[in-house]
Amino acid sequence: MSRRALLASLCSLPLMGCQTGETARVRYRVILSALVDGKPVEASTVMEVRYRRVTHSLIGTGGATRLYGEALIFDLGGKGAIFVLPIQHAPHASSSQVYEYGILTTFGIANSIGSLTDVDLAKLNNAKGRQPFHLYKTSRLPAFVSFADESNPKTIYEIDPSELGRYFPGVKFTGLDIEITNDPITKKLRDRLPWLRTARDPKIFPRDPATNRRPYSELPLSHMMTPADFFGDGSR
């Protein structure tokens, strides 16, 4: 169980004494930029992440987050579409949060979610402008996926952003930016992928047969996916 989940569980119990301290809210636009047949194209989605400091819990002072929004849809016309998920996927690892951490470092905050200061929270609440997405000291991005057939979730596959042209000839990734905004949170993914309205069973995505299961660390992202991975935890 993650520290965030543990804090949420403890705070839901009676008489635990969990208290919420200072909070911050960041409404932002995720902007994907690419060259499509030599022409610059952008697509975006609006999300929001909320940070809060938790005090007097059984494990001391910490922090928690809540993410609202959904995967970014980047239409490539007749070439297909890319979906930028609100999770990251490092090689030989399970998927994990991405914007909750990435917003901090994108706007110059070095402290972790569990150790945000009053100055950090004020900086988040007053963030402005557009910045290249930056996740700590890595070059990792949110996970990119596509479908051979959008009506069939079992046709999902992961994409390496640095090699978009290998999947979609004539397409080149040029950047992912974060821009502070007051626009409404985007809500159009369930119309684009109607099976997300009712899908709860993770087996709608590819899975190894029971007789030939690989170690979890060797699975491709497509074999780890659940419908919830297309949304922030506050929008599921």
Side-chain angles (χ1 to χ4, degrees):
M1 179 181 287
S2 68
R3 179 182 176 89
R4 183 182 69 174
L6 178 58
L7 283 171
S9 297
L10 290 174
C11 288
S12 67
L13 296 174
L15 306 179
M16 283 295 104
C18 255
Q19 297 179 14
T20 299
E22 296 298 317
T23 62
R25 186 184 74 170
V26 184
R27 179 77 60 86
Y28 60 96
R29 186 177 294 278
V30 183
I31 306 169
L32 172 61
S33 302
L35 292 175
V36 180
D37 296 328
K39 297 179 180 179
V41 179
E42 288 187 346
S44 68
T45 189
V46 176
M47 306 189 75
E48 179 176 296
V49 60
R50 300 177 188 177
Y51 300 89
R52 72 177 185 273
R53 205 155 48 208
V54 178
T55 60
H56 304 301
S57 75
L58 291 183
I59 58 175
T61 301
T65 63
R66 195 75 164 162
L67 181 67
Y68 297 85
E70 60 188 27
L72 185 159
I73 305 169
F74 191 88
D75 266 314
L76 299 169
K79 298 178 185 288
I82 298 165
F83 298 82
V84 182
L85 304 177
I87 57 172
Q88 61 170 317
H89 179 225
H92 308 296
S94 58
S95 60
S96 58
Q97 295 173 318
V98 63
Y99 294 123
E100 293 91 330
Y101 301 110
I103 290 297
L104 299 180
T105 45
T106 294
F107 289 96
I109 295 173
N111 288 322
S112 66
I113 292 169
S115 56
L116 294 173
T117 66
D118 288 344
V119 172
D120 294 333
L121 293 170
K123 190 170 184 177
L124 288 169
N125 278 322
N126 292 291
K128 291 180 173 61
R130 176 169 171 170
Q131 300 288 339
F133 177 80
H134 174 58
L135 182 61
Y136 289 124
K137 297 180 180 180
T138 75
S139 58
R140 289 203 305 273
L141 295 168
F144 285 43
V145 299
S146 189
F147 298 88
D149 177 359
E150 288 185 16
S151 67
N152 182 359
K154 289 190 182 297
T155 67
I156 192 171
Y157 58 96
E158 188 173 10
I159 294 171
D160 181 345
S162 67
E163 299 184 8
L164 289 190
R166 179 159 65 89
Y167 309 92
F168 306 101
V171 180
K172 181 181 180 181
F173 171 75
T174 55
L176 190 77
D177 291 350
I178 300 294
E179 183 178 41
I180 301 301
T181 184
N182 290 317
D183 291 344
I185 294 171
T186 303
K187 296 180 181 179
K188 60 182 181 181
L189 186 62
R190 288 183 173 93
D191 290 332
R192 178 62 178 260
L193 303 176
W195 44 265
L196 283 172
R197 294 184 181 278
T198 56
R200 295 293 181 269
D201 184 356
K203 293 180 182 178
I204 65 170
F205 294 107
R207 292 293 185 265
D208 281 350
T211 56
N212 187 27
R213 289 180 177 169
R214 288 169 284 182
Y216 199 76
S217 62
E218 295 179 8
L219 292 176
L221 179 61
S222 59
H223 285 57
M224 303 178 187
M225 291 289 300
T226 71
D229 290 327
F230 283 83
F231 303 92
D233 54 0
S235 295
R236 292 170 182 167

PDB file of all heavy atoms in Angstrom, residues 44-57:
ATOM      1  N   SER A  44      -4.336  19.143 -26.085  1.00  0.00           N
ATOM      2  CA  SER A  44      -4.207  19.334 -24.642  1.00  0.00           C
ATOM      3  C   SER A  44      -5.391  18.761 -23.887  1.00  0.00           C
ATOM      4  O   SER A  44      -6.442  18.446 -24.468  1.00  0.00           O
ATOM      5  CB  SER A  44      -4.056  20.822 -24.318  1.00  0.00           C
ATOM      6  OG  SER A  44      -5.262  21.532 -24.611  1.00  0.00           O
ATOM      7  N   THR A  45      -5.218  18.629 -22.592  1.00  0.00           N
ATOM      8  CA  THR A  45      -6.291  18.262 -21.677  1.00  0.00           C
ATOM      9  C   THR A  45      -6.087  19.049 -20.396  1.00  0.00           C
ATOM     10  O   THR A  45      -4.937  19.353 -20.021  1.00  0.00           O
ATOM     11  CB  THR A  45      -6.300  16.750 -21.388  1.00  0.00           C
ATOM     12  OG1 THR A  45      -7.480  16.402 -20.653  1.00  0.00           O
ATOM     13  CG2 THR A  45      -5.089  16.307 -20.581  1.00  0.00           C
ATOM     14  N   VAL A  46      -7.171  19.423 -19.730  1.00  0.00           N
ATOM     15  CA  VAL A  46      -7.083  20.193 -18.479  1.00  0.00           C
ATOM     16  C   VAL A  46      -7.272  19.253 -17.295  1.00  0.00           C
ATOM     17  O   VAL A  46      -8.225  18.469 -17.260  1.00  0.00           O
ATOM     18  CB  VAL A  46      -8.128  21.322 -18.438  1.00  0.00           C
ATOM     19  CG1 VAL A  46      -8.078  22.042 -17.090  1.00  0.00           C
ATOM     20  CG2 VAL A  46      -7.887  22.310 -19.575  1.00  0.00           C
ATOM     21  N   MET A  47      -6.355  19.350 -16.328  1.00  0.00           N
ATOM     22  CA  MET A  47      -6.390  18.512 -15.136  1.00  0.00           C
ATOM     23  C   MET A  47      -6.238  19.398 -13.897  1.00  0.00           C
ATOM     24  O   MET A  47      -5.985  20.604 -14.007  1.00  0.00           O
ATOM     25  CB  MET A  47      -5.279  17.462 -15.171  1.00  0.00           C
ATOM     26  CG  MET A  47      -5.259  16.613 -16.430  1.00  0.00           C
ATOM     27  SD  MET A  47      -4.120  15.220 -16.329  1.00  0.00           S
ATOM     28  CE  MET A  47      -5.054  14.129 -15.245  1.00  0.00           C
ATOM     29  N   GLU A  48      -6.389  18.790 -12.749  1.00  0.00           N
ATOM     30  CA  GLU A  48      -6.168  19.511 -11.490  1.00  0.00           C
ATOM     31  C   GLU A  48      -5.606  18.547 -10.462  1.00  0.00           C
ATOM     32  O   GLU A  48      -6.072  17.413 -10.347  1.00  0.00           O
ATOM     33  CB  GLU A  48      -7.472  20.114 -10.969  1.00  0.00           C
ATOM     34  CG  GLU A  48      -7.311  20.862  -9.648  1.00  0.00           C
ATOM     35  CD  GLU A  48      -8.612  21.524  -9.209  1.00  0.00           C
ATOM     36  OE1 GLU A  48      -9.088  22.430  -9.923  1.00  0.00           O
ATOM     37  OE2 GLU A  48      -9.155  21.121  -8.157  1.00  0.00           O
ATOM     38  N   VAL A  49      -4.585  19.009  -9.728  1.00  0.00           N
ATOM     39  CA  VAL A  49      -4.056  18.206  -8.627  1.00  0.00           C
ATOM     40  C   VAL A  49      -4.150  19.037  -7.350  1.00  0.00           C
ATOM     41  O   VAL A  49      -3.880  20.245  -7.356  1.00  0.00           O
ATOM     42  CB  VAL A  49      -2.596  17.751  -8.896  1.00  0.00           C
ATOM     43  CG1 VAL A  49      -1.650  18.908  -9.072  1.00  0.00           C
ATOM     44  CG2 VAL A  49      -2.104  16.817  -7.792  1.00  0.00           C
ATOM     45  N   ARG A  50      -4.585  18.376  -6.283  1.00  0.00           N
ATOM     46  CA  ARG A  50      -4.710  19.020  -4.985  1.00  0.00           C
ATOM     47  C   ARG A  50      -3.743  18.353  -4.012  1.00  0.00           C
ATOM     48  O   ARG A  50      -3.687  17.133  -3.920  1.00  0.00           O
ATOM     49  CB  ARG A  50      -6.145  18.919  -4.471  1.00  0.00           C
ATOM     50  CG  ARG A  50      -7.158  19.577  -5.400  1.00  0.00           C
ATOM     51  CD  ARG A  50      -8.579  19.408  -4.915  1.00  0.00           C
ATOM     52  NE  ARG A  50      -9.543  19.875  -5.915  1.00  0.00           N
ATOM     53  CZ  ARG A  50     -10.866  19.795  -5.774  1.00  0.00           C
ATOM     54  NH1 ARG A  50     -11.382  19.247  -4.679  1.00  0.00           N
ATOM     55  NH2 ARG A  50     -11.664  20.238  -6.737  1.00  0.00           N
ATOM     56  N   TYR A  51      -3.009  19.185  -3.301  1.00  0.00           N
ATOM     57  CA  TYR A  51      -2.058  18.712  -2.298  1.00  0.00           C
ATOM     58  C   TYR A  51      -2.555  19.108  -0.921  1.00  0.00           C
ATOM     59  O   TYR A  51      -3.098  20.211  -0.743  1.00  0.00           O
ATOM     60  CB  TYR A  51      -0.678  19.353  -2.521  1.00  0.00           C
ATOM     61  CG  TYR A  51      -0.065  19.053  -3.862  1.00  0.00           C
ATOM     62  CD1 TYR A  51      -0.318  19.876  -4.969  1.00  0.00           C
ATOM     63  CD2 TYR A  51       0.778  17.960  -4.041  1.00  0.00           C
ATOM     64  CE1 TYR A  51       0.258  19.613  -6.208  1.00  0.00           C
ATOM     65  CE2 TYR A  51       1.352  17.689  -5.280  1.00  0.00           C
ATOM     66  CZ  TYR A  51       1.079  18.516  -6.352  1.00  0.00           C
ATOM     67  OH  TYR A  51       1.639  18.250  -7.580  1.00  0.00           O
ATOM     68  N   ARG A  52      -2.359  18.244   0.056  1.00  0.00           N
ATOM     69  CA  ARG A  52      -2.686  18.629   1.420  1.00  0.00           C
ATOM     70  C   ARG A  52      -1.679  18.023   2.395  1.00  0.00           C
ATOM     71  O   ARG A  52      -1.164  16.933   2.177  1.00  0.00           O
ATOM     72  CB  ARG A  52      -4.114  18.215   1.801  1.00  0.00           C
ATOM     73  CG  ARG A  52      -4.351  16.749   2.016  1.00  0.00           C
ATOM     74  CD  ARG A  52      -5.802  16.523   2.461  1.00  0.00           C
ATOM     75  NE  ARG A  52      -6.059  15.138   2.804  1.00  0.00           N
ATOM     76  CZ  ARG A  52      -6.427  14.194   1.953  1.00  0.00           C
ATOM     77  NH1 ARG A  52      -6.567  14.504   0.685  1.00  0.00           N
ATOM     78  NH2 ARG A  52      -6.637  12.964   2.367  1.00  0.00           N
ATOM     79  N   ARG A  53      -1.425  18.763   3.426  1.00  0.00           N
ATOM     80  CA  ARG A  53      -0.530  18.292   4.470  1.00  0.00           C
ATOM     81  C   ARG A  53      -1.370  17.589   5.528  1.00  0.00           C
ATOM     82  O   ARG A  53      -2.430  18.083   5.925  1.00  0.00           O
ATOM     83  CB  ARG A  53       0.226  19.470   5.067  1.00  0.00           C
ATOM     84  CG  ARG A  53       1.538  19.091   5.697  1.00  0.00           C
ATOM     85  CD  ARG A  53       2.508  20.239   5.729  1.00  0.00           C
ATOM     86  NE  ARG A  53       1.930  21.469   6.234  1.00  0.00           N
ATOM     87  CZ  ARG A  53       2.344  22.675   5.885  1.00  0.00           C
ATOM     88  NH1 ARG A  53       3.316  22.810   5.016  1.00  0.00           N
ATOM     89  NH2 ARG A  53       1.787  23.752   6.387  1.00  0.00           N
ATOM     90  N   VAL A  54      -0.917  16.434   5.963  1.00  0.00           N
ATOM     91  CA  VAL A  54      -1.640  15.642   6.957  1.00  0.00           C
ATOM     92  C   VAL A  54      -0.796  15.593   8.224  1.00  0.00           C
ATOM     93  O   VAL A  54       0.384  15.245   8.178  1.00  0.00           O
ATOM     94  CB  VAL A  54      -1.914  14.215   6.445  1.00  0.00           C
ATOM     95  CG1 VAL A  54      -2.619  13.386   7.496  1.00  0.00           C
ATOM     96  CG2 VAL A  54      -2.752  14.273   5.171  1.00  0.00           C
ATOM     97  N   THR A  55      -1.408  15.951   9.366  1.00  0.00           N
ATOM     98  CA  THR A  55      -0.678  15.984  10.627  1.00  0.00           C
ATOM     99  C   THR A  55      -1.345  15.100  11.660  1.00  0.00           C
ATOM    100  O   THR A  55      -2.534  14.763  11.561  1.00  0.00           O
ATOM    101  CB  THR A  55      -0.599  17.416  11.172  1.00  0.00           C
ATOM    102  OG1 THR A  55      -1.926  17.912  11.378  1.00  0.00           O
ATOM    103  CG2 THR A  55       0.130  18.330  10.190  1.00  0.00           C
ATOM    104  N   HIS A  56      -0.588  14.709  12.645  1.00  0.00           N
ATOM    105  CA  HIS A  56      -1.089  13.934  13.785  1.00  0.00           C
ATOM    106  C   HIS A  56      -1.714  12.609  13.366  1.00  0.00           C
ATOM    107  O   HIS A  56      -2.698  12.162  13.971  1.00  0.00           O
ATOM    108  CB  HIS A  56      -2.116  14.750  14.589  1.00  0.00           C
ATOM    109  CG  HIS A  56      -1.588  16.067  15.055  1.00  0.00           C
ATOM    110  ND1 HIS A  56      -0.484  16.190  15.867  1.00  0.00           N
ATOM    111  CD2 HIS A  56      -2.000  17.331  14.801  1.00  0.00           C
ATOM    112  CE1 HIS A  56      -0.248  17.471  16.100  1.00  0.00           C
ATOM    113  NE2 HIS A  56      -1.145  18.191  15.458  1.00  0.00           N
ATOM    114  N   SER A  57      -1.176  11.988  12.329  1.00  0.00           N
ATOM    115  CA  SER A  57      -1.615  10.640  11.991  1.00  0.00           C
ATOM    116  C   SER A  57      -0.734   9.649  12.733  1.00  0.00           C
ATOM    117  O   SER A  57       0.241  10.012  13.393  1.00  0.00           O
ATOM    118  CB  SER A  57      -1.498  10.405  10.476  1.00  0.00           C
ATOM    119  OG  SER A  57      -0.151  10.221  10.107  1.00  0.00           O
TER     120      SER A  57
END
